[in-house]
Every structure is written in structure tokens, then in C-alpha cells.
Amino acid sequence: MNSSHPAPRRHANDWAALKSPLRRFLDACHADFSVETGGAVANYIPELGKADPNHFGISLATIDGYVYEVGDSREPFTIQSMSKPFVFALALDTLGADHVESAIGVEPSGDPFNSIRLDANNHPFNPMVNAGAIACSALIREAEGDGAFEYIRQALGRFAGRELGVDEAVFASESATGDRNRAIAYMLRNSGVIKDDVSKVLEVYFRQCSVLVTARDSAVMAATLANHGINPVTGEQVVTPYAVSRTLSVMTSSGMYDYAGEWIYRVGIPAKSGVGGGILAALPARLGLGSYSPRLDSHGNSVRGIKVCEALSAHYDLHMLNRSEDAHNIIADYDIGKSASRRSRRPHEQKILASHHRDVRIIELVGTLTFSNVDYVSRQLAEKPRPHFIIFDLRRVASVTRAGARLLAEGFRELAHFNVTAILSGTKRSSPEWKIVAEWTDTLSNVRNFPLLDDAIEWAEDQIVYRHGGAIEAVEMTELSEQPLLAGLGAEELAQLASLGTIRTYHAGEKIIATTEPATSLYFLRSGVVHVTLPGGIRLATIAAGMPFGEMALLEGHRSADVVADQSVTALEVLLADFERFREQHPRAGERIMRNLAQMLADRLIAANSKVNLLTAT
Ligand code: GLN
């Protein structure tokens, strides 16, 4: 196999001709191995002998649900033994692991697929050889009775992401000639593994082997196994992660029959072949491969299919035991001194937060939370003084493994001993992995969840303010003298200003200022809380009693954001025209106010800059 595939020269402007390297690789595999004509089409099932030996299709499904296809990737063929892993997984989920595992072993037999030999307990060696697969079909019949085949067909369809049909001619052909399988089934009945009518069990087995799939279907089915049971194209959870890991185990040890040891040594990807000419390979967390080429080697494995798998594994170094991972997944680690919430704080609150900013630590994580990553994070916690709150910013975390979730929950429990509250923000709680985290952390009282980072920071700030004596309830009435915009004004000037304005009350949810309206007044919030939001609903700031809003009217003619009352609110509204007159009459106070405004804007700019720094300095 050519290891470098130079792209054909094309006009550089022909951007539409851009191909992903993986597609080029698969195209090259198809071209290189099409000339391979070794092996022979199976004919012990007479109908299979009719397959066109030249058919050759390759498909690769990624775990993000993209499907590459090359050659005869839509050519239907019978699934045959490639059905075995899926029916085994289905049996595990349908009958329970104990039941299935007590009837069928998991040891490689070292024998060909159709061996008439049982293990020392008179059970099939494993579910990947005919004896084990026939036992599996019998188990499904135990659970589903005459509906067993339909139950299997529908499950296979969920793995493939589409409804699958049956090749009746192949079914009839195998039923008529499958005496060896009949012998195996009688032997299983003799040893008590099958209790049912042998011919009914075999009907299920032969039908299941005659289900029609394509290389594309096989790739998606394999990718479902690679994606812990979730079909990456349809998003459906087809089988449980337990069934998946056990199925991949037996594919690893026995999927390629008496070639299994060699296979896992050289290729290192769990796989399953069928005498119809298909091979599917499932590399966990990476991809599913399906190939179709009916010429088989002496083990009953597709010659070209094996070559494709070998080439893919070698070229991209995909052997499943060759893995490494970066444990360093912290991309930012700071405290609220660097990035405060969007709530505008009153001066005494600001003072408290400024001297206790180390009490709220924010750790931003990226990628997947794995065993290694969460362990790394948990060791970093001790590297800084103990905060009271640790916010884990998980916006850039796509998923968490079970091991990661477990370590995370254990870490939170550890933090509880030190009275540290863990706050999760930015989690996608709908995914199955996050449900695990939630399950383990819901019982802990020191774990909180805020979908938005800013809400998390604001909540933690409130706790700090509260602990240090600052009231956080905004129901109390505040005086004009507390307004930072009016700092430095004398009592008379304040009284004069108060007499110019009108006290307004607003109910929760009421819009006080609307974007694009002319800015004709400014407000001093006396009680309650308002939110400044962009029309899309994005919150820019929270403003509590004692602070001004709409003060940008002093600089801008129109409103650039909405202001909405968060609860019932009272505010002093001062018309801009009156305010200007006041400034003319009291030039000293007027200058003072403009200087205060400049200070407030400068503070906001500094806060915004440090947020930008956080984003770029990582
Ligand atoms: N139906 C076939 C048989 O039992 C399946 C064998 C296979 O694909 N290896 O002989």
C-alpha cells in the first residue's frame, strides 16, 4: 500500500475539489486493492456462490456521524456472521448479562467458525462462532417467541440506521443445505443450552444471517459499537455501554475465528467478518469501517477486506493498544479579581469583593473529562490557597467518560470536607455522560449548577458579599447619596436633583428602556434589581439598588440595550433636559458627575479588558 497519495494537480482555484485526506486514503485503498483477486467466493451455501467476485465497496463512519463511501458501498449482500456481535449485544440487553453469560462462554476457540466442538462445560466457546451465535438466537427466541426474528431485524436496523430486508433466496439456500449448523444446534440441545425446537431456532439464525446490508450499513453498525452504543448518524442509543464493551471484547478475541490472534496482533481493531464477503471493524471512540468484497481466504474472511483494515490501521497507527492522551486540559485558572460578574456592584460590595477575590476560583476545562484529565485537575486544586468556591467552566468540555465522572464526583466529596463549594457551569446536562455526573453529585450539598458562567460567578460573589456583612437583598431603599455617579455632591445639590426627578415604580418583567428609543432620561435605582439585555436576551449587566442605569444618555442619543425590571423596582427618573439645566446651575456638581461617569466607564473598560486577556492569554 502506497503510504503517500499525492493529490492530483488541480487548478488551485477549484476549491470544490478539496478532499479530506481520509477520503483520498480510502480512494487509494480501493484502487490499490481492486487488483487483488486472491481467494474464492463462498459456495457451501449455494446461493452465495452467485455473488459477483469483483464487487468491492468500502465505507467508513466517523463517530461524529459522517460516512465516507468508496466503490460498491451500496451493493447489498447478506450480513451472515457479521450479525453475531449485534445479536449478542441485543441478547445481553434483552435477557440480562447473567443469563446470557451462563449459557455462552467468552473464550476463543481457536477453531473455524463452523466447528462442532463445545467447551468443557458443554457450552459454546463464544458468541462469535456458529455454536455461540445459534445459542444466542435461541436466547432471543426464549424472550421473544415467534417474534424473535422480527425483533432481531429491527435491532439490526437501528444499528444500521435504516430498515433492513432479507435475501429470501440465500435464506432458502442455507435452510436447505445447513446440515452442519443443524448438527451444532442438536448438540446444543443435547447439552441443554437450547431448550426450544431446533428447527425454529435455526430458522431465526438462518434468517438473521440472510439480512441484507451494504458496506455503508456495516460501517454505521460498527460505528455504533465504536460510539458506546449510540448510532452516530441517527443519534439513537441502540444498546447499553455494558453490552457494547462485552461485544467488542468477544470481537477482539474471537471475531476473526482462527485468525483472531493474528488479527488483533497486526491490526488491533475489534472486527467481525461474514462469509457473504463483509468485514466490519469498530475502533472505540474513533470509527466504524465496513467493507464488502466476496472473495474469501481459507478462514472465511474477505481477502480485500483484510487488506483494507490492515492498511488503515498501519497507515494511521490505529492499533487500539497504541494510545496516548494529554492530561493537561485546564486552559484558564483565575479568580474573580480577573473576571467579575456582570452585576454592577455598589461601592461597599466592590470593596468586599476586591479584598476577597481569591475566594472564588474559576477553572476552565476543555475537551473530554477523562480519568487522566480529572485526576490532573484534582491535583491542581491544592496548588493554590483554599478558595470558598470553585467554579468549573465546562463550556468547552464536550463529554465526560464514566471514569472521569466518577473521579469528579469523588473530588467534589473531597472538597466538601474542606467546606469548598463546587459550581458547575456550562454543562450540557442532556448527554448521557452528564446524567452520570448529575446522578453522583445530586446527593452532594456542596455542588451547584448554573448553565451560564456569569450566573455562577454572580452567585458566588453574592455569597462572599453576604459572608462579609454586605446585604445582598436589594429590597431595601437606597439614598441618592449612595449613588457612585453622584459621589461628592453636597446635601443641598442632592436634594435639588431629587426634586427635579420623578419616582417611578415598575413591576417584575416590565421593560423600562427599549433599544433604539431616544435616550431622554437617566435613572437612579432606589430599590430592586434591573437587567440590561441585548434584544436577543443576552444579559450585559445586572444593576442593583444604589446604582444608576440609562446614564449613557449623557453620551449617546439612543438606547443601545433594553433594561428590564427583575423584581418590583423603584427608581428616580430624571429627564435629560432637567439634568442639563441642573448642571448649568451647579457647574461644580456637574463637573463632579461627569468625572464620576468617566471613572465608572474606566472601571468597566478595565474589567472588559481583563476578560479579553483571559480569552487570549491562554
Ligand atoms: N450463515 C453462515 C453459516 O452459519 C454464517 C457463517 C459466517 O459468516 N462465517 O455458515
Side-chain angles (χ1 to χ4, degrees):
M1 170 91 232
N2 219 350
S3 61
S4 62
H5 308 286
R9 273 177 191 279
R10 281 204 179 80
H11 195 270
N13 287 334
D14 188 7
W15 185 243
L18 181 80
K19 281 190 184 181
S20 79
L22 188 49
R23 172 168 302 285
R24 285 210 188 283
F25 174 82
L26 295 172
D27 285 348
C29 273
H30 191 268
D32 289 0
F33 301 138
S34 290
V35 297
E36 177 65 66
T37 55
V41 175
N43 58 10
Y44 76 98
I45 299 172
E47 194 67 22
L48 286 183
K50 295 182 180 167
D52 179 345
N54 295 319
H55 275 151
F56 186 21
I58 306 174
S59 177
L60 186 152
T62 65
I63 50 162
D64 65 315
Y66 184 80
V67 186
Y68 291 96
E69 295 182 62
V70 187
D72 304 315
S73 61
R74 302 276 174 125
E75 184 62 33
F77 59 96
T78 51
I79 189 169
Q80 299 298 341
S81 284
M82 289 196 312
S83 63
K84 290 169 180 169
F86 302 101
V87 177
F88 177 59
L90 184 65
L92 285 173
D93 279 355
T94 305
L95 291 111
D98 287 348
H99 191 131
V100 176
E101 289 161 9
S102 68
I104 305 166
V106 293
E107 290 301 330
S109 65
D111 285 342
F113 66 87
N114 55 3
S115 162
I116 308 190
R117 190 166 76 96
L118 299 180
D119 68 12
N121 305 319
N122 273 331
H123 288 185
F125 277 91
N126 66 68
M128 299 296 104
V129 293
N130 286 12
I134 292 168
C136 247
S137 308
L139 286 173
I140 301 280
R141 239 194 87 84
E142 249 176 53
E144 300 296 319
D146 288 344
F149 172 68
E150 184 55 20
Y151 184 71
I152 291 173
R153 189 185 70 83
Q154 291 196 2
L156 293 174
R158 286 196 295 277
F159 276 105
R162 73 179 184 102
E163 186 95 357
L164 300 174
V166 173
D167 188 326
E168 291 295 340
V170 171
F171 166 69
S173 180
E174 185 166 16
S175 302
T177 58
D179 287 338
R180 197 177 170 101
N181 283 327
R182 233 162 253 129
I184 292 172
Y186 275 109
M187 188 177 58
L188 289 171
R189 190 173 144 93
N190 180 57
S191 63
V193 175
I194 294 183
K195 296 170 191 76
D196 211 344
D197 179 335
V198 162
S199 66
K200 290 199 164 140
V201 170
L202 282 173
E203 156 138 24
V204 174
Y205 173 72
F206 290 150
R207 271 198 180 279
Q208 131 197 353
C209 288
S210 305
V211 164
L212 282 165
V213 291
T214 64
R216 182 196 160 92
D217 294 328
S218 318
V220 175
M221 295 174 87
T224 302
L225 293 177
N227 193 33
H228 51 59
I230 299 173
N231 181 320
V233 176
T234 64
E236 184 179 357
Q237 178 96 45
V238 181
V239 282
T240 61
Y242 180 93
V244 167
S245 56
R246 274 51 184 190
T247 299
L248 288 169
S249 303
V250 289
M251 286 168 70
T252 302
S253 51
S254 311
M256 303 298 274
Y257 317 115
D258 45 339
Y259 186 63
E262 190 86 12
W263 175 266
I264 216 63
Y265 186 81
R266 304 209 175 285
V267 178
I269 304 178
K272 188 72 202 79
S273 64
V275 291
I279 293 186
L280 56 79
L283 184 59
R286 293 288 176 270
L287 58 89
L289 182 80
S291 73
Y292 171 52
S293 168
R295 286 199 194 89
L296 310 181
D297 65 14
S298 58
H299 304 284
N301 299 325
S302 164
V303 173
R304 288 173 180 166
I306 285 189
K307 295 226 178 265
V308 172
C309 293
E310 284 174 345
L312 181 75
S313 170
H315 187 74
Y316 293 113
D317 197 12
L318 292 179
H319 194 293
M320 65 173 177
L321 300 180
N322 243 347
R323 296 194 54 174
S324 74
E325 201 171 61
D326 186 7
H328 304 84
N329 63 334
I330 296 182
I331 58 172
D333 185 348
Y334 54 98
D335 63 51
I336 51 167
K338 276 247 167 75
S339 176
S341 77
R342 288 174 177 159
R343 185 184 195 109
S344 78
R345 299 283 175 184
R346 288 172 285 171
H348 75 284
E349 295 177 326
Q350 281 174 15
K351 210 178 280 169
I352 293 170
L353 291 172
S355 54
H356 297 280
H357 61 91
R358 281 188 201 85
D359 285 354
V360 184
R361 182 170 169 190
I362 299 147
I363 298 179
E364 184 178 342
L365 302 173
V366 72
T368 300
L369 298 187
T370 64
F371 176 83
S372 312
N373 298 132
V374 179
D375 170 60
Y376 171 74
V377 172
S378 63
R379 279 180 281 113
Q380 301 316 303
L381 299 183
E383 298 290 309
K384 287 190 181 180
R386 175 177 68 132
H388 290 297
F389 300 91
I390 303 179
I391 299 174
F392 295 93
D393 177 0
L394 305 173
R395 277 174 299 173
R396 289 174 181 77
V397 168
S399 61
V400 50
T401 64
R402 280 187 74 82
R406 180 132 235 172
L407 278 177
L408 208 55
E410 288 169 354
F412 294 157
R413 198 158 292 142
E414 181 78 13
L415 289 176
H417 293 311
F418 295 87
N419 295 323
V420 176
T421 299
I423 307 172
L424 300 176
S425 81
T427 56
K428 301 183 186 79
R429 281 172 73 90
S430 51
S431 75
E433 296 96 335
W434 282 113
K435 286 202 182 108
I436 299 169
V437 178
E439 215 173 277
W440 282 335
T441 55
D442 276 353
T443 53
L444 298 175
S445 59
N446 71 321
V447 180
R448 303 208 158 233
N449 184 277
F450 290 91
L452 296 178
L453 175 62
D454 193 59
D455 289 343
I457 296 177
E458 180 179 330
W459 181 82
E461 285 173 352
D462 283 348
Q463 310 312 305
I464 300 293
V465 168
Y466 184 71
R467 278 178 197 199
H468 294 92
I472 50 165
E473 283 97 77
V475 286
E476 89 227 64
M477 215 39 99
T478 59
E479 299 304 327
L480 272 189
S481 58
E482 297 172 49
Q483 290 280 342
L485 187 61
L486 305 178
L489 267 62
E492 218 150 282
E493 290 162 333
L494 289 172
Q496 171 82 36
L497 192 60
S499 70
L500 287 177
T502 314
I503 300 285
R504 305 247 179 239
T505 63
Y506 303 93
H507 56 79
E510 190 175 351
K511 196 183 274 189
I512 305 171
I513 286 177
T515 313
T516 72
E517 271 177 9
T520 52
S521 55
L522 60 154
Y523 299 79
F524 296 96
L525 192 57
R526 304 175 75 225
S527 67
V529 172
V530 298
H531 277 169
V532 183
T533 64
L534 288 179
I538 297 166
R539 187 171 68 127
L540 292 179
T542 304
I543 292 168
M547 300 296 286
F549 63 91
E551 77 280 14
M552 293 299 281
L554 292 171
L555 304 171
E556 289 179 328
H558 285 85
R559 303 296 190 188
S560 56
D562 292 345
V563 176
V564 181
D566 204 37
Q567 37 187 270
S568 78
V569 149
T570 63
L572 178 76
E573 180 181 9
V574 181
L575 288 175
L576 205 53
D578 292 337
F579 192 74
E580 294 302 344
R581 208 166 312 121
F582 170 81
R583 277 173 58 193
E584 275 163 30
Q585 290 161 5
H586 306 271
R588 194 201 67 90
E591 205 206 304
R592 201 56 224 228
I593 289 168
M594 292 319 275
R595 248 195 289 143
N596 290 338
L597 181 64
Q599 186 60 52
M600 291 170 77
L601 294 179
D603 288 347
R604 269 179 230 165
L605 192 59
I606 289 164
N609 281 347
S610 82
K611 280 194 194 189
V612 172
N613 269 340
L614 271 177
L615 289 176
T616 51
T618 53

Coordinates of all heavy atoms in Angstrom, one line a residue, residues 44-45 79-82 84 113 130 174 181 205-206 209 257 273-276, ligand 1:
Y44 N -20.5 -22.9 -0.2 CA -21.1 -24.0 0.6 C -22.6 -23.7 0.9 O -23.3 -24.6 1.1 CB -20.3 -24.3 1.9 CG -20.5 -23.3 3.0 CD1 -21.4 -23.6 4.0 CD2 -19.8 -22.1 3.0 CE1 -21.6 -22.6 5.0 CE2 -20.0 -21.1 4.0 CZ -20.9 -21.4 5.0 OH -21.1 -20.5 6.0
I45 N -22.9 -22.4 0.8 CA -24.3 -22.1 0.7 C -24.5 -21.7 -0.7 O -24.0 -20.7 -1.2 CB -24.7 -20.8 1.6 CG1 -24.4 -21.2 3.1 CG2 -26.1 -20.4 1.4 CD1 -24.5 -20.0 4.0
I79 N -25.6 -10.4 5.5 CA -24.7 -10.0 6.7 C -24.0 -11.2 7.2 O -22.9 -11.1 7.7 CB -25.6 -9.3 7.7 CG1 -24.8 -8.7 8.9 CG2 -26.7 -10.3 8.3 CD1 -25.7 -7.9 9.8
Q80 N -24.6 -12.4 7.1 CA -24.0 -13.6 7.7 C -23.5 -13.4 9.1 O -24.2 -12.9 9.9 CB -22.9 -14.2 6.7 CG -23.5 -14.5 5.3 CD -24.5 -15.6 5.3 OE1 -24.7 -16.4 6.3 NE2 -25.4 -15.6 4.3
S81 N -22.2 -13.8 9.3 CA -21.7 -13.8 10.7 C -21.5 -12.4 11.2 O -21.3 -12.3 12.4 CB -20.4 -14.6 10.8 OG -20.7 -16.0 10.7
M82 N -21.5 -11.4 10.4 CA -21.4 -10.1 11.0 C -22.7 -9.7 11.8 O -22.7 -8.7 12.6 CB -21.3 -9.0 9.9 CG -20.0 -9.0 9.1 SD -19.7 -7.5 8.2 CE -21.2 -7.3 7.3
K84 N -23.5 -11.6 14.2 CA -23.3 -12.2 15.5 C -23.1 -11.3 16.7 O -23.7 -11.4 17.7 CB -22.2 -13.3 15.4 CG -22.6 -14.5 14.7 CD -21.5 -15.5 14.3 CE -22.0 -16.7 13.5 NZ -20.9 -17.5 12.9
F113 N -15.1 -21.2 12.2 CA -16.4 -20.7 12.6 C -17.4 -21.8 12.8 O -18.3 -21.7 13.6 CB -16.9 -19.6 11.7 CG -17.3 -20.0 10.3 CD1 -18.5 -20.5 10.0 CD2 -16.4 -19.9 9.3 CE1 -18.9 -20.9 8.7 CE2 -16.7 -20.3 8.0 CZ -17.9 -20.8 7.7
N130 N -20.3 -20.2 15.2 CA -21.7 -20.6 14.9 C -22.4 -21.1 16.1 O -23.6 -20.8 16.4 CB -21.8 -21.6 13.8 CG -21.5 -20.9 12.4 OD1 -21.0 -19.8 12.4 ND2 -21.7 -21.7 11.4
E174 N -29.6 -21.7 2.5 CA -28.9 -22.1 3.7 C -29.8 -23.1 4.4 O -29.3 -24.1 5.0 CB -28.5 -21.0 4.6 CG -27.6 -21.5 5.7 CD -26.9 -20.4 6.5 OE1 -27.2 -19.2 6.4 OE2 -26.0 -20.8 7.2
N181 N -24.8 -26.8 10.6 CA -25.4 -25.9 11.6 C -26.5 -26.7 12.4 O -26.7 -26.5 13.6 CB -26.0 -24.6 11.1 CG -24.9 -23.6 10.8 OD1 -23.9 -23.6 11.5 ND2 -25.0 -22.9 9.7
Y205 N -31.8 -18.2 13.2 CA -30.4 -18.0 12.9 C -30.2 -17.8 11.4 O -29.5 -16.9 11.0 CB -29.6 -19.2 13.4 CG -28.2 -19.1 13.0 CD1 -27.3 -18.2 13.6 CD2 -27.7 -20.0 12.0 CE1 -26.0 -18.1 13.2 CE2 -26.3 -19.9 11.6 CZ -25.5 -19.0 12.2 OH -24.2 -18.9 11.8
F206 N -30.8 -18.7 10.6 CA -30.6 -18.6 9.1 C -31.1 -17.3 8.6 O -30.5 -16.6 7.7 CB -31.2 -19.8 8.4 CG -30.5 -21.1 8.6 CD1 -31.3 -22.3 8.6 CD2 -29.2 -21.2 8.8 CE1 -30.6 -23.5 8.8 CE2 -28.5 -22.4 9.1 CZ -29.3 -23.6 9.0
C209 N -28.9 -14.4 9.4 CA -27.7 -14.4 8.5 C -28.0 -13.9 7.1 O -27.1 -13.5 6.4 CB -27.1 -15.8 8.4 SG -26.3 -16.4 9.9
Y257 N -12.4 -15.6 14.0 CA -12.3 -17.0 14.2 C -10.8 -17.4 14.5 O -10.2 -16.9 15.3 CB -12.8 -17.8 12.9 CG -14.1 -17.2 12.4 CD1 -14.1 -16.6 11.1 CD2 -15.2 -17.2 13.2 CE1 -15.3 -16.1 10.6 CE2 -16.4 -16.7 12.7 CZ -16.4 -16.2 11.4 OH -17.6 -15.6 10.9
S273 N -16.2 -10.7 10.6 CA -16.3 -11.0 9.2 C -17.6 -11.9 9.0 O -18.1 -12.4 9.9 CB -15.1 -11.7 8.7 OG -15.0 -13.0 9.3
G274 N -18.0 -11.9 7.7 CA -19.1 -12.8 7.4 C -18.8 -13.5 6.0 O -18.1 -12.9 5.2
V275 N -19.3 -14.7 5.8 CA -19.0 -15.4 4.6 C -19.6 -14.7 3.4 O -19.3 -15.1 2.2 CB -19.3 -16.9 4.6 CG1 -18.4 -17.6 5.6 CG2 -20.8 -17.1 5.0
G276 N -20.5 -13.8 3.6 CA -21.1 -13.0 2.5 C -20.0 -12.1 1.8 O -20.3 -11.6 0.8
Ligands
GLN1 N1 -24.7 -18.4 7.9 C1 -23.3 -18.7 7.9 C2 -23.1 -20.1 8.5 O1 -23.6 -20.4 9.5 C3 -22.5 -17.7 8.6 C4 -21.1 -18.1 8.7 C5 -20.2 -16.9 8.5 O2 -20.5 -15.9 8.0 N2 -18.9 -17.2 8.9 O3 -22.4 -20.9 7.9

